[in-house]
Amino acid sequence: MKPRVPISAKLVADLITTAGAHRIIAMDLHAGQIQGYFNIPVDNVFAAPLLLKHLRSRFQDNLVIVSPDAAEWSAPRAFAKRLGASLAIIDKRREAPNVAEAMNIIGDVEGKTAIILDDMVDTAGTLTQAASALREKGSAAVHACATHPVLSGPAIARIEASPIEQLVVTNTIPLNGKAQHCRKITVVSIAELLGETIKRTFNSQSVSTLFV
């Protein structure tokens, strides 16, 4: 993205391949282009079917799916289409790594249940600032979904102090001690999805039919 930045994902890809792997199954890579760093087959599986199933069981209408990043709105748009919801985007400015400031909300969120969708939650700075901005703009309630619960540093304290009512994550990363005791966090298991992917790969069957 700028000169002299190391492409660490390529190094990791080479390390995994050198260690003897001949095929990779990943879930919700932070950037889909990472697949191109491997010289072996890669299946990037998405947690979207699991998260959509959970959301459909809890919410029916008057929803708005929110992208916390103006540059990454394709997944939120797909969620909005499948849930019959509207779409909003948070326009933010990142001042430093792991530090983000929510600047503006693009879209109508007033009186609606807002669901923030992201691929991972690290320090939860972006997530909680987005939640506060949504409430200030009149959202009736704010929930969030993310695949990878990194939850480092002050993440849990920020989530507990935020207007987020529920954060839905998967178990791609085990919850740390503090996260396990946070009542706002709900975990959805990826076991069945990964198991089916492994079975189909082993039997040379289609994996793409598992995608949303």
Side-chain angles (χ1 to χ4, degrees):
M1 58 183 178
K2 57 185 178 181
R4 297 183 179 273
V5 172
I7 305 177
S8 304
K10 174 57 177 172
L11 172 60
V12 174
D14 289 343
L15 288 171
I16 293 173
T17 304
T18 301
H22 57 82
R23 191 179 186 110
I24 298 290
I25 295 176
M27 176 158 284
D28 278 357
L29 290 171
H30 192 53
Q33 297 90 328
I34 291 174
Q35 297 172 81
Y37 295 144
F38 288 90
N39 296 319
I40 56 178
V42 178
D43 290 307
N44 183 29
V45 185
F46 302 100
L50 305 175
L51 297 177
L52 280 169
K53 181 180 179 180
H54 179 85
L55 293 176
R56 287 193 181 105
S57 70
R58 291 210 58 192
F59 306 103
Q60 301 299 324
D61 51 22
N62 203 30
L63 298 179
V64 56
I65 305 299
V66 181
S67 170
D69 191 334
E72 298 291 340
W73 52 271
S74 57
R77 182 177 64 176
F79 266 66
K81 179 180 179 180
R82 285 159 177 79
L83 291 171
S86 56
L87 177 67
I89 298 172
I90 301 287
D91 178 26
K92 71 177 188 295
R93 182 178 302 166
R94 188 175 294 278
E95 303 293 343
N98 293 328
V99 177
E101 180 181 357
M103 301 294 291
N104 188 35
I105 296 177
I106 304 170
D108 180 21
V109 300
E110 187 172 357
K112 298 182 179 182
T113 297
I115 300 175
I116 305 170
L117 183 67
D118 211 346
D119 64 335
M120 70 178 212
V121 181
D122 187 0
T123 60
T126 297
L127 183 69
T128 52
Q129 288 184 39
S132 297
L134 288 165
R135 289 292 285 169
E136 290 173 4
K137 289 294 184 179
S139 292
V142 180
H143 297 255
C145 287
T147 303
H148 309 298
V150 180
L151 301 175
S152 64
I156 299 303
R158 286 174 171 173
I159 291 169
E160 290 180 336
S162 76
I164 294 174
E165 295 185 15
Q166 182 188 47
L167 169 61
V168 181
V169 298
T170 74
N171 57 348
T172 55
I173 301 174
L175 294 184
N176 57 43
K178 291 182 179 179
Q180 290 178 12
H181 295 92
C182 180
R183 296 183 178 180
K184 290 188 175 183
I185 297 178
T186 299
V187 180
V188 175
S189 176
I190 62 169
E192 185 176 350
L193 178 60
L194 275 186
E196 182 64 22
T197 304
I198 293 169
K199 184 178 75 174
R200 293 189 181 197
T201 300
F202 184 79
N203 293 326
S204 299
Q205 296 174 323
S206 172
V207 174
S208 60
T209 53
L210 296 174
F211 302 159
V212 173

